[in-house]
Amino acid sequence: MLARAAEETFAQVDRVIASVPSEKRPHVYLARGPEGLETGSRGSINTEIIERVGAINVAEGPRPKGGIVSASGEQLLAWAPDTIISLDKSFRQTVSEKAEWKPVPAVAAGRVFLAPSLPFGFIDAPPSLNRLIGLTWLLHIFYPEQAPGKLREQVRLFYHLFYQVDLTEPDLDTLLDNSGG
């Protein structure tokens, strides 16, 4: 049953990204840490699900496998991400107040999302089975018109199936707080 659910998640991702032309896919920066200047470069284990949903990871880095890299304000401006996924709540809460971040297109457009992290991160920290629901969450963030179903219901079903936990509405509010869900 769990394997079937995982396969269906991957199939759903494939259907959605097949319907989105490459020029319409988001250019994404993964902001790690309270300053947001640590990220995973293309091909890293940290950003693989962002890339799996068809998004373009703006961070260049070591090849062929990628890794964790430090970014500068100048690099962020040059990379010009239109979407930022943050793993750090304090960064997500304060990024729009930081002068050096204001000209970054994602910040200017208000497209900075906090990845859910209970009981494990949806994106990273640590890489876990929560990446399956992370794929679904990213579909809703990146392609809201193409993403099937309702995110809250999909999250509820995932937690029931994989953790045998029935999330209440307040639980969902807490989990998806500031995440765009």
Side-chain angles (χ1 to χ4, degrees), residues 31-113:
R32 296 170 51 98
E35 299 304 314
L37 294 175
E38 180 181 87
T39 191
S41 64
R42 279 187 209 137
S44 75
I45 190 172
N46 311 88
T47 60
E48 70 184 348
I49 76 162
I50 290 170
E51 295 163 26
R52 178 64 176 85
V53 296
I56 295 117
N57 179 1
V58 299
E60 297 287 344
R63 297 286 180 192
K65 291 191 175 212
I68 297 294
V69 295
S70 293
S72 68
E74 294 80 24
Q75 285 173 315
L76 283 162
L77 288 174
W79 289 336
D82 56 48
T83 305
I84 294 173
I85 302 296
S86 173
L87 302 182
D88 187 279
K89 189 171 187 168
S90 66
F91 172 79
R92 165 62 181 85
Q93 290 173 331
T94 62
V95 66
S96 64
E97 301 162 9
K98 298 178 180 187
E100 65 275 17
W101 284 88
K102 286 183 180 185
V104 174
V107 176
R111 290 199 42 84
V112 180
F113 302 96

Side-chain angles (χ1 to χ4, degrees), residues 129-143:
L129 69 94
N130 264 26
R131 286 183 171 198
L132 288 171
I133 194 61
L135 289 167
T136 301
W137 177 75
L138 288 171
L139 287 179
H140 284 271
I141 296 295
F142 296 159
Y143 317 109

Side-chain angles (χ1 to χ4, degrees), residues 7-20 25 52-53 139:
E7 289 170 357
E8 178 51 36
T9 298
F10 291 126
Q12 182 181 74
V13 167
D14 292 341
R15 284 190 298 272
V16 169
I17 62 176
S19 72
V20 179
R25 296 184 185 173
R52 178 64 176 85
V53 296
L139 287 179

